[in-house]
Amino acid sequence: RARACGNLGNAYSALGDFSQAVKYYLQSLAVAKEAKNLAGQGQAYYCLGSTYTMLKNYQKAVEYHERHLAVATEVKDKTGQLRAYYNLYKGYQVLRDTQQI
């Protein structure tokens, strides 16, 4: 069920309906948490961070990428860690440039 919600979030994101995508990613996250599925949680955090970036809510994006990093570190997902660090770098760069830090 978490994957299905995530896929719906991906579809809405591809259509440019980021607000609807966030709703499905949050559902995906809730299901993954309930199932204690850390990999699913990490994926949901990544998707939420990326979607909030598209919505230009960089503070919220950074928060979700930080959570993604924590999960990726816990499960020893080196690729996930790299993605999280890169997205955090980009997020902090935008926040600094717009004086939102």
Side-chain angles (χ1 to χ4, degrees), residues 8-18:
L8 285 168
N10 292 342
Y12 279 106
S13 184
L15 292 170
D17 189 345
F18 302 116

Side-chain angles (χ1 to χ4, degrees), residues 32-33 35-45 68 70-72 74-75:
K33 282 184 173 182
K36 297 183 182 359
N37 177 351
L38 286 176
Q41 290 175 49
Q43 183 63 28
Y45 287 137
H68 176 220
V71 171
E74 185 174 344
V75 300

Side-chain angles (χ1 to χ4, degrees), residues 2-90:
R3 183 174 288 163
C5 290
N7 287 339
L8 285 168
N10 292 342
Y12 279 106
S13 184
L15 292 170
D17 189 345
F18 302 116
S19 296
Q20 194 67 19
V22 165
K23 290 178 187 177
Y24 281 102
Y25 291 141
L26 287 171
Q27 286 182 26
S28 177
L29 177 60
V31 172
K33 282 184 173 182
E34 184 178 315
K36 297 183 182 359
N37 177 351
L38 286 176
Q41 290 175 49
Q43 183 63 28
Y45 287 137
Y46 166 75
C47 290
L48 284 161
S50 297
T51 304
Y52 277 112
T53 297
M54 298 303 293
L55 290 166
K56 298 188 184 331
N57 186 338
Y58 300 108
Q59 189 62 50
K60 197 94 160 159
V62 164
E63 290 172 21
Y64 280 109
H65 287 308
E66 286 175 344
R67 292 176 189 177
H68 176 220
L69 176 60
V71 171
T73 301
E74 185 174 344
V75 300
K76 297 177 179 31
D77 174 7
K78 299 294 185 192
T79 302
Q81 288 175 304
L82 182 62
R83 285 172 39 192
Y85 278 123
Y86 174 78
N87 288 318
L88 284 166
Y89 166 76
K90 297 300 284 182

